[in-house]
Amino acid sequence: MNRTLTPLDRLLIDAQNALGTVFGNVRAQRANPGRDEAEIVLDDEERRHAAGLMRVNHVGEVCAQALYVGQAAVARDAGTRKHLLEAAQEETDHLAWCADRLRELDSRPSLLNPVWYASSYAIGALAGLRGDGWNLGFVVETERQVEAHLDQHLQQLPEADNRSRAILETMKADEARHADNAQAQGARILPPPIPTLMAAASKLMKAIAYRV
Ligand SMILES: [Fe+2]
Ligand SMILES: [Fe+2]
């Protein structure tokens, strides 16, 4: 079926995505990369630390969903919109895997997920309103920052937590590909101070989401 979606259709699809993302009922299409790693018993402090890091990553994926869906809502070109929604689909896998791992670690997603989603959707839509070059530039910058952040988390995870590590490694490879694809589609380089502001916002998010 290939009918054109009306603005109301799109709004309803976005609302459905928001609810699924925020309330955690999303399904991964790919198997969890950590499933073949043996579950090592972590001590309490290690478990809490791993859960804090995985909660941050889960929030990162909530934000990624919201950013891309927000950007897609205002994208002018159908190709750009398709690209954004495809990237969002892979982020759904990340979201589901992080949620699985949080459950295994006896923890929970951030209580502030509705706030993270709403603010990221607004930022995505604002970025998208500047035009498709900006839209794609925003994807490249986001994904590059996430890639660097995942590198840090890979260092910070408890040594024995190979299940979380396997998830983050697959995510990192996906994020790098998302950035490369957006670059190839004609992303423009975001001018200062936007990348710095984005990094500051995500630093604040990480500090809060580690705990709440
Ligand atoms: Fe992701
Ligand atoms: Fe991504």
Side-chain angles (χ1 to χ4, degrees):
M1 192 175 69
N2 213 359
R3 76 186 174 92
T4 315
L5 296 177
T6 65
L8 180 64
D9 291 335
R10 287 226 190 98
L11 195 68
L12 291 173
I13 292 170
D14 285 4
Q16 197 177 22
N17 178 287
L19 291 172
T21 303
V22 166
F23 295 107
N25 73 47
V26 292
R27 267 246 178 92
Q29 289 189 342
R30 291 173 291 166
N32 187 315
R35 76 192 185 287
D36 294 331
E37 299 291 339
E39 179 67 284
I40 307 283
V41 181
L42 303 170
D43 67 31
D44 251 15
E45 194 183 324
E46 287 178 325
R47 189 186 53 74
R48 263 198 303 272
H49 178 55
L53 297 180
M54 292 310 281
R55 185 161 41 253
V56 169
N57 291 312
H58 185 266
V59 169
E61 295 301 331
V62 168
C63 294
Q65 283 292 319
L67 277 173
Y68 292 157
V69 172
Q71 287 179 262
V74 297
R76 288 166 207 175
D77 171 62
T80 305
R81 183 176 310 119
K82 183 166 168 279
H83 171 86
L84 288 161
L85 294 176
E86 275 168 10
Q89 176 53 51
E90 275 199 358
E91 310 295 356
T92 304
D93 286 353
H94 301 173
L95 192 66
W97 298 338
C98 289
D100 288 349
R101 189 60 188 142
L102 278 169
R103 263 190 302 276
E104 289 173 359
L105 290 165
D106 243 347
S107 192
R108 51 155 182 78
S110 171
L111 299 172
L112 298 174
N113 275 346
V115 179
W116 303 128
Y117 193 100
S119 41
S120 301
Y121 186 96
I123 292 171
L126 273 179
L129 286 171
R130 301 292 307 262
D132 285 2
W134 275 75
N135 228 341
L136 292 163
F138 204 72
V139 174
V140 173
E141 185 58 34
T142 306
E143 299 286 5
R144 295 283 182 234
Q145 289 193 14
V146 173
E147 210 185 324
H149 149 83
L150 288 171
D151 255 340
Q152 285 175 2
H153 271 201
L154 283 164
Q155 308 280 330
Q156 291 167 10
L157 275 174
E159 179 117 17
D161 191 358
N162 288 330
R163 284 200 176 213
S164 300
R165 188 165 284 110
I167 293 172
L168 297 193
E169 269 162 2
T170 304
M171 281 167 52
K172 192 181 151 211
D174 288 348
E175 313 305 12
R177 198 176 55 256
H178 296 162
D180 292 345
N181 289 346
Q183 193 107 55
Q185 298 242 335
R188 57 166 288 167
I189 296 174
L190 300 186
I194 293 176
T196 317
L197 288 174
M198 288 166 69
S202 74
K203 195 171 167 199
L204 180 69
M205 175 280 273
K206 285 186 250 178
I208 299 172
Y210 183 83
R211 295 174 183 83
V212 192

